[in-house]
Amino acid sequence: MASDHFIGADVGTGSARAGVFDAGGRLLAAAKRPIRIWRAEGDVVEQSSDDIWQAVVESVREAVQQSGVDPATIKGIGFDATCSLVVLDDAGRPLPVGPSKDPARNIIVWMDHRALDQTRRINATRHPVLRYVGGFISPEMETPKLLWLKENKPEIFARAGQFFDLADFLSWRATGSLARSICTLTCKWTYLAHEGRWDPSYFEAIGLGELANEGFRRIGTEIVDIATPLGSGLSETAAAEFGLLPGTAVGASLIDAHSGGVGTLGGRGPDGERSDPQSQIALIMGTSSCAMTLTREPAFVDGVWGPYFGAMVPGFWLLEGGQSAYGAALDHLVTLHPAYREAAEAAAAEGRSIPDHLEQRAIALAGSIEQAAMLARSIHVVPEFLGNRAPYADPAAKAAIAGLGLETSAESLVRLFVAGLCGLCYGTRQIIEAERAKGVSIETVVVSGGAAQSPLLRRILADASGVRVALPETSEPVLLGGAILGAVAAGSAESLAMAAARMCRIREEISPAGGDVAAFHAAKYQAFILLQGAERDIRATMSGLGAAPAVSAA
């Protein structure tokens, strides 16, 4: 077993990645490829399943080559991906899902919000199924997207042979198995895992009764636990593409954030002791963020998705919070400032990213990392550029900023950047407080994703939320989650929990500072709540005026 290796393959919003891990969870090599994305008016965001598959193939081949391991020692692979909707015909060919009529554009991306009206109408039914998505379906989920497709592209809806969650598409493409993961279907498709069934009355009530009438054959009739070995492993075709052996075990897939949860929760702390996953919340920070909490008993938290049974770790209920824009919100925020170009040039000269450059400037201006948050004393940001995912389930929410002046200096950009970090952390605090109000015990936030590598963000998060913040040893916990799937599917570990205990470790923990710092964040958090509420009140005030007039070209 010591010579066994496992691959995690991850598809995010902008890229596909793959990592090769040894049996102890150590990353040996990783590779990355960009994936194409199309955007159009009406909140349309689309991708190509063929393009994504090719990016995964190239990433896996390069990672294996760089690792130097014998492909024969790779015993398992696991896939994860964004919760995007893939549409194929009966022959497995892509079908167009939008106005372009381009069959290459056959994926409605998770962040596509074209189905806002369908979402509103589904929520108006108040169907009991919605109780298991925090009370409100989200336009990020699949049934609103399916309803949009039926109503706006009925010929495509009728021709579709399979509707896949992207993660399940990858495992199908690798193995030929039509089995769906309990993770994807429970979290994004309204499958009732705790009862082991779809609810036909829900689909009839929302206008998708044909899916129930046909026995759910196009969305999943074989639903399996996470990491279940699929089919006969890698098919001859997929194995040749990857440069691996046919029959290599493939574990039933995960949503990308959930893979990060598997790759972080329940591992060993700095003291070597196994952590209690029920006392932790996994915060996966990328373009968006997801906050994953495990409980033994179902907890119903308004505005927080779930509770989902067995959707991340078998035997546990899952609560899923987070925000639709996280890294994307911070990136967009700083581009609004007049000094952005100057900062971009300075960052390039230093060989840093713009956030890294601004972080170093913030620490230098404040004198210490502990005092850096104080730079944002007079400016407040609610960074909800793409709505509020949790705990308000309000996709129409918008960002709000208070305290802007006429400053154009690089220092004022640093202050805005720090205010954005604070706003992101207060959003996480709201989720923690909403869950604690329902009896969920949270002692530690385990962070992962690109933003997790920021010492300043970890410091502000600990102080703003009032809980410990832990950083995993691996720099790629999402990829590690996929490798854990492969290890379990290959029989190298008896369960996800046993694999996590062997392969996941925490590098460091920081505790809240308390004292004056805690008082500062308490006041600033109240300002955040006031500003967030004001934005909602303004929308309500303006909602009676009807749509804005169209602007005609001169």
Side-chain angles (χ1 to χ4, degrees), residues 173-544:
R173 187 73 181 257
T175 67
S177 172
L178 288 173
R180 265 66 160 192
S181 167
I182 200 169
C183 171
T184 57
L185 292 196
T186 304
C187 296
K188 306 302 174 185
W189 296 72
T190 71
Y191 182 74
L192 299 174
H194 60 291
E195 297 179 4
R197 69 182 182 94
W198 296 104
D199 187 335
S201 69
Y202 168 74
F203 290 85
E204 293 162 359
I206 69 171
L208 291 172
E210 54 268 73
L211 296 178
N213 294 338
E214 63 194 33
F216 302 105
R217 65 171 179 82
R218 291 191 287 172
I219 63 174
T221 56
E222 182 185 358
I223 296 92
V224 298
D225 283 336
I226 298 158
T228 297
L230 297 177
S232 300
L234 282 181
S235 67
E236 294 276 353
T237 299
E241 290 181 285
F242 286 139
L244 302 176
L245 297 184
T248 300
V250 177
S253 57
L254 286 161
I255 299 166
D256 54 350
H258 301 60
S259 187
V262 168
T264 55
L265 296 184
R268 297 189 181 276
D271 58 2
E273 294 297 316
R274 289 181 62 179
S275 304
D276 177 9
Q278 293 184 87
S279 68
Q280 301 174 321
I281 183 169
L283 182 63
I284 299 93
M285 300 177 285
T287 301
S288 63
S289 72
C290 284
M292 324 291 282
T293 311
L294 297 173
T295 64
R296 280 292 186 185
E297 300 297 328
F300 294 88
V301 182
D302 291 343
V304 175
W305 297 341
Y308 303 127
F309 184 69
M312 193 170 82
V313 176
F316 286 88
W317 292 82
L318 171 67
L319 290 171
E320 181 184 350
Q323 296 304 341
S324 302
Y326 200 86
L330 193 63
D331 290 345
H332 184 68
L333 176 69
V334 298
T335 65
L336 304 177
H337 194 279
Y340 173 76
R341 184 179 297 275
E342 176 186 343
E345 292 172 353
E350 297 167 355
R352 301 179 188 270
S353 68
I354 294 172
D356 284 348
H357 165 76
L358 294 173
E359 176 167 331
Q360 294 307 310
R361 287 292 307 275
I363 295 170
L365 281 171
S368 71
I369 195 170
E370 291 78 13
Q371 294 297 309
M374 306 296 181
L375 296 172
R377 178 182 297 273
S378 300
I379 185 166
H380 311 281
V381 177
V382 177
E384 295 178 347
F385 292 97
L386 199 59
N388 179 284
R389 182 185 287 171
Y392 294 111
D394 183 3
K398 298 297 182 185
I401 304 173
L404 282 181
L406 294 176
E407 296 87 356
T408 62
S409 67
E411 179 179 322
S412 65
L413 171 57
V414 171
R415 294 179 184 276
L416 179 65
F417 169 75
V418 173
L421 291 178
C422 289
L424 294 173
C425 294
Y426 298 142
T428 301
R429 175 172 171 170
Q430 283 189 317
I431 296 167
I432 292 172
E433 291 187 351
E435 294 187 3
R436 281 179 166 172
K438 297 294 185 178
V440 179
S441 175
I442 297 172
E443 299 174 3
T444 305
V445 179
V446 185
V447 295
S448 62
Q453 303 308 309
S454 162
L456 178 57
L457 178 57
R458 297 199 303 274
R459 178 75 264 166
I460 293 176
L461 180 59
D463 295 335
S465 65
V467 300
R468 288 193 304 270
V469 172
L471 179 67
E473 183 176 288
T474 180
S475 61
E476 295 287 1
V478 176
L479 292 178
L480 177 58
I484 287 173
L485 296 183
V488 176
S492 175
E494 295 181 6
S495 66
L496 290 176
M498 294 297 291
R502 190 179 77 209
M503 300 174 77
C504 302
R505 287 171 293 277
I506 296 299
R507 181 196 309 169
E508 65 178 58
E509 292 182 341
I510 58 173
S511 298
D516 292 343
V517 173
F520 169 81
H521 282 291
K524 195 164 173 60
Y525 180 55
Q526 289 305 309
F528 175 89
I529 292 173
L530 287 170
L531 187 57
Q532 189 181 50
E535 190 277 330
R536 285 196 298 267
D537 290 344
I538 290 168
R539 270 189 290 132
T541 299
M542 301 300 292
S543 64

Side-chain angles (χ1 to χ4, degrees), residues 47 82-86 107-111 142 164-167:
Q47 289 180 320
T82 64
C83 54
S84 300
L85 176 67
V86 183
I107 296 178
I108 303 179
V109 179
W110 67 270
M111 66 194 301
E142 307 300 8
F164 278 116
D165 207 87
L166 180 53

